[in-house]
Amino acid sequence: MANVLDEIIDGVREDLAARERLLPAAEVQAAAAARPAALDAWAALGGGQPAGELRVIAEVKRQSPSKGALADIADPASLAARYAEGGASVISVLTEQRRFGGSLADFDAVRAAVGIPLLRKDFTVEEYQVHEARAHGADLVLLIVAALDDARLAGLLELTRSLGMEALVETHTEDEIDRAAAVDARIVGVNVRNLKTLDVDRGVFGRLADRLPDGAVAVAESGVRGPEDVAYYAAHGAGAILVGEALVTHGDPRARIQEFKRAGAAAIAARPGAH
Ligand SMILES: O=P(O)(O)OC[C@@H](O)[C@@H](O)c1c[nH]c2ccccc12
């Protein structure tokens, strides 16, 4: 049953093996331990706070398996600086190379440019990648439930927290949400793009939102084209949105984030029972 997700992970494992030959696990662990403490991404995303604002996780995304090249990002650091000025709460930097055109060099450039929490966005399947994320100054890593069995999901989340980071735990089905809840995920994403087929169905968020664990930050991932999609996610309970394409293809991402935040806050204020 080959699907896109499995194919991507095969490539990720090959690239990972090559990096491990260059920098052994003990060295990457030492580099992680030497970093200043991670920033609190949970708090930045409104964790534990009353609903009001919609937080934006703005993504540095060069290309995707579904669409190919999205944007010629000559300077990821200045793009990230504009994201921060627009009011992004977290910046996501894709580091997967083969399908998304990302790199740890992009991550490093962004880390040097902004002081807000960063998500190292990759297909995390091995402990090495978690230490590596921290060694590069990440505050948040991505754990995709569909790519991990229960034991590995629990183990990677525990390691992430032991390094002072948090995880965005990504789901796409009811069963995956229950698996995320079972490991006490505190930041739970619903990706409306099915990573096995790449189909986007924004209604997935509305259908699954009620099942998200109480007290977790609910993140609507993918598929934001404009303020109407932001309002839809916010109306259905999103505390944060993760946006890539709509920002990297926009001429003024700073203004676009501000617009998304206004649309989100208005939809939250209009939720039944908001007053
Ligand atoms: O460009 P979009 O549709 O705004 O999507 C952003 C983000 O959700 C998407 O890049 C993403 C969500 N989950 C992932 C897992 C791996 C790689 C990429 C992703």
Side-chain angles (χ1 to χ4, degrees):
M1 38 162 259
N3 60 54
V4 182
L5 181 60
D6 291 342
E7 284 170 26
I8 293 173
I9 288 173
D10 285 346
V12 163
R13 285 188 184 284
E14 273 180 46
D15 290 348
L16 177 60
R19 291 201 304 283
E20 262 186 282
R21 283 193 292 275
L22 289 173
L23 188 68
E27 286 178 42
V28 86
Q29 286 176 31
R35 271 272 171 183
L39 303 171
D40 188 345
W42 153 260
L45 291 171
Q49 298 159 47
E53 217 185 299
L54 182 78
R55 269 79 178 181
V56 174
I57 305 175
E59 186 158 277
V60 176
K61 186 177 190 181
R62 295 177 180 276
Q63 61 188 58
S64 73
S66 49
K67 303 217 173 156
L70 294 172
D72 183 13
I73 302 171
D75 185 355
S78 79
L79 177 61
R82 282 185 286 159
Y83 286 169
E85 286 165 17
S89 295
V90 169
I91 295 174
S92 166
V93 184
L94 268 155
T95 58
E96 197 280 341
Q97 203 129 23
R98 297 183 185 212
R99 300 295 192 106
F100 293 88
S103 64
L104 283 163
D106 280 354
F107 192 94
D108 292 342
V110 172
R111 180 70 293 170
V114 300
I116 65 175
L118 295 191
L119 166 63
R120 191 253 173 125
K121 188 84 162 326
D122 210 315
F123 296 79
T124 312
V125 288
E126 295 291 344
E127 295 196 342
Y128 185 96
Q129 294 165 288
V130 178
H131 290 289
E132 183 178 56
R134 187 79 278 274
H136 286 264
D139 307 291
L140 199 56
V141 297
L142 180 70
L143 297 178
I144 301 172
V145 174
L148 303 166
D149 64 27
D150 286 337
R152 200 171 280 255
L153 176 61
L156 291 172
L157 183 58
E158 194 186 317
L159 174 62
T160 299
R161 288 178 176 160
S162 77
L163 297 178
M165 298 186 288
E166 253 301 339
L168 169 59
V169 179
E170 177 173 310
T171 68
H172 184 68
T173 64
E174 287 192 356
D175 174 62
E176 289 171 11
I177 290 176
D178 293 346
R179 292 181 55 211
V183 294
D184 283 324
R186 297 206 301 162
I187 305 173
V188 183
V190 174
N191 191 358
V192 306
R193 184 179 291 108
N194 180 334
L195 286 176
K196 298 176 181 174
T197 61
L198 303 181
D199 294 335
V200 172
D201 174 3
R202 292 169 191 81
V204 166
F205 189 80
R207 291 194 289 278
L208 297 187
D210 279 350
R211 207 173 176 101
L212 290 166
D214 284 343
V217 173
V219 184
E221 300 182 51
S222 310
V224 168
R225 294 162 297 192
E228 312 72 33
D229 295 322
V230 176
Y232 168 79
Y233 290 145
H236 286 83
I241 53 171
L242 173 50
V243 191
E245 180 178 347
L247 295 177
V248 298
T249 58
H250 199 272
D252 188 350
R254 178 174 172 277
R256 196 64 165 160
I257 291 172
Q258 291 170 340
E259 196 181 350
F260 288 171
K261 289 187 65 69
R262 281 195 298 273
I268 289 170
R271 282 180 193 159
H275 297 290

